[in-house]
Amino acid sequence: MDGPASASRAVSGVGCTNTNEDWMSALCPRLWDVPLHHLSIPGSHDTMTYCLNKKSPISQGESRLLQMLNRWIPCITRPVVLKWSVTQVLDVTEQLDAGVRYLDLRIAHMLDGSEKNLHFVHMVYTTALVEDTLTEISEWLERHPREVVILACRNFEGLSEDLHEYLISCINTIFGEMLCPRGEVPTLRQLWARGQQVIVSYEDESALGRHRELWPGIPYWWGDQVKPDALIRYLETMKSCGRPGARPRPVGAGSTYEDTSCGGGAHLRRHVQWGRGPRTTSLPVEAGPTYDVTSPGGGVHVRGGVPWGRGPRRRRCLVGAGVRTYVLLRHVPLGVGSTTTSSPVGGGVHY
């Protein structure tokens, strides 16, 4: 979430003196036994962009065109890139004090950097080093023994296998027994009993296979909003979708369909959750078609006799964007006979 970036340091400094720094320990006791993935946990998007280095090169992960522009006209390119890249104005300790418990840490090794100096990156590199930042987080946790943070480590630009091992050894050394190893999603009460405060989400499959203390990538909702009111509206809308990354919940037998008329053609409007995004779309169909929802091989399919538009035309529909892709199968009469078409449906769509 990018909300803090809209506030000045003077204003946000006042906000950091509130009670949010210990909000987990202040939750009502009935929430202590709820698995963490059923709690609403605030996070910051590109957590470390408050300390981007104005003199650093453009990230190697960016396009060649942007890197060439930076070489040819740096006086124009650099200010634009920096303005685009900064999403936070609070430092990591201030973010934790403000209540942030999910830290988006995009880690990189600079091409010309020293062998084991790892930085954070978002188009350009940070002045802060990864090891120093992890130590700062550890020290904050020692002062707040009943707060739990998720460290979402990702990107890994320029990291070799040796550098991955170096990074993981730093994580183990700095946090030690604070780390919660991979397994069943814990509750706050369980974590407090074990003295564990850190869940490391590490988006590298080979490292996950070697280290049980690492968790796979944890899905989240990115509000992509600067104004607090807009962010709150987004999150209120998303509450109806269940937790981020939850398995899709298709409608089955006995579901309610709403037939509407749009431009003289019949449309079937189905309100169906397919994971993340709260979008609704209407499909042109005949009135009253029958749908049968099945899940062959773990995939979600919808089958039904559905005329897709008017006349003998094929139409494909790519809806939304998401990590998972589901296939929507329709037996579509296209003039003479019938044909089956498939349309990829993004992981974050209401149909």
Side-chain angles (χ1 to χ4, degrees):
M1 122 182 129
D2 297 340
S6 65
S8 67
R9 280 197 176 271
V11 174
S12 28
V14 174
C16 289
T17 60
N18 59 26
T19 59
N20 289 339
E21 58 187 283
D22 290 300
W23 69 263
M24 284 184 159
S25 57
L27 289 173
C28 63
R30 67 187 181 87
L31 295 178
W32 298 353
D33 297 309
V34 174
L36 285 186
H37 64 326
H38 287 300
L39 297 178
S40 295
I41 298 178
S44 56
H45 176 67
D46 279 303
T47 299
M48 299 302 297
T49 54
Y50 63 86
C51 62
L52 293 177
N53 186 348
K54 296 179 180 179
K55 297 181 180 180
S56 91
I58 296 292
S59 162
Q60 293 299 307
E62 299 304 320
S63 68
R64 290 181 61 187
L65 174 61
L66 183 58
Q67 296 186 40
M68 286 190 295
L69 289 173
N70 186 55
R71 286 196 296 269
W72 295 339
I73 46 172
C75 58
I76 297 175
T77 306
R78 184 54 57 89
V80 172
V81 168
L82 283 171
K83 184 176 181 180
W84 180 265
S85 302
V86 175
T87 65
Q88 306 298 334
V89 296
L90 301 182
D91 66 34
V92 70
T93 294
E94 290 170 331
Q95 290 181 42
L96 291 168
D97 285 343
V100 169
R101 295 295 178 268
Y102 178 102
L103 302 178
D104 178 14
L105 305 178
R106 307 189 182 208
I107 297 169
H109 180 256
M110 292 175 60
L111 189 62
D112 299 323
S114 58
E115 183 181 0
K116 292 191 175 176
N117 275 358
L118 299 179
H119 296 257
F120 302 97
V121 66
H122 186 218
M123 299 187 76
V124 296
Y125 303 96
T126 61
T127 55
L129 297 176
V130 170
E131 191 170 355
D132 294 340
T133 301
L134 296 180
T135 300
E136 185 177 350
I137 295 168
S138 173
E139 291 172 350
W140 186 91
L141 288 169
E142 289 176 356
R143 298 192 298 272
H144 304 271
R146 286 164 70 89
E147 298 302 299
V148 176
V149 299
I150 298 170
L151 305 182
C153 300
R154 55 164 60 95
N155 192 276
F156 302 126
E157 177 193 315
L159 264 69
S160 63
E161 185 174 318
D162 286 345
L163 282 174
H164 273 290
E165 290 302 314
Y166 169 71
L167 172 59
I168 295 166
S169 71
C170 287
I171 291 171
N172 279 297
T173 299
I174 291 169
F175 295 109
E177 294 182 355
M178 288 184 183
L179 292 172
C180 173
R182 183 168 68 249
E184 184 178 348
V185 179
T187 67
L188 285 174
R189 192 189 298 272
Q190 289 169 338
L191 291 171
W192 294 339
R194 303 169 192 159
Q196 296 169 346
Q197 294 177 265
V198 181
I199 292 177
V200 178
S201 165
Y202 202 91
E203 297 184 19
D204 181 83
E205 290 188 8
S206 61
L208 286 174
R210 298 190 300 270
H211 297 276
R212 188 172 171 270
E213 66 273 25
L214 305 178
W215 293 68
I218 296 175
Y220 60 93
W221 288 327
W222 176 33
D224 195 17
Q225 304 289 339
V226 173
K227 295 182 178 179
D229 289 345
L231 179 61
I232 290 170
R233 284 196 301 271
Y234 169 83
L235 294 175
E236 288 295 329
T237 301
M238 296 306 292
K239 283 198 304 185
S240 64
C241 299
R243 67 178 187 271
R247 294 182 65 85
R249 294 174 290 180
V251 292
S255 299
T256 301
Y257 295 87
E258 174 191 356
D259 244 339
T260 62
S261 178
C262 179
H267 284 68
L268 178 69
R269 191 177 293 277
R270 293 169 50 232
H271 302 283
V272 185
Q273 293 180 356
W274 292 93
R276 293 185 188 170
R279 303 177 191 171
T280 300
T281 183
S282 60
L283 301 177
V285 296
E286 288 182 342
T290 301
Y291 276 71
D292 173 34
V293 179
T294 58
S295 299
V300 178
H301 289 71
V302 183
R303 297 181 183 273
V306 184
W308 188 274
R310 301 178 190 173
R313 293 183 301 159
R314 282 183 170 86
R315 296 181 60 185
R316 294 175 62 82
C317 180
L318 176 61
V319 186
V323 176
R324 297 177 176 83
T325 298
Y326 302 102
V327 177
L328 182 64
L329 295 181
R330 284 186 171 74
H331 302 284
V332 185
L334 298 171
V336 180
S338 77
T339 306
T340 298
T341 63
S342 63
S343 297
V345 179
V349 179
H350 277 196
Y351 233 19

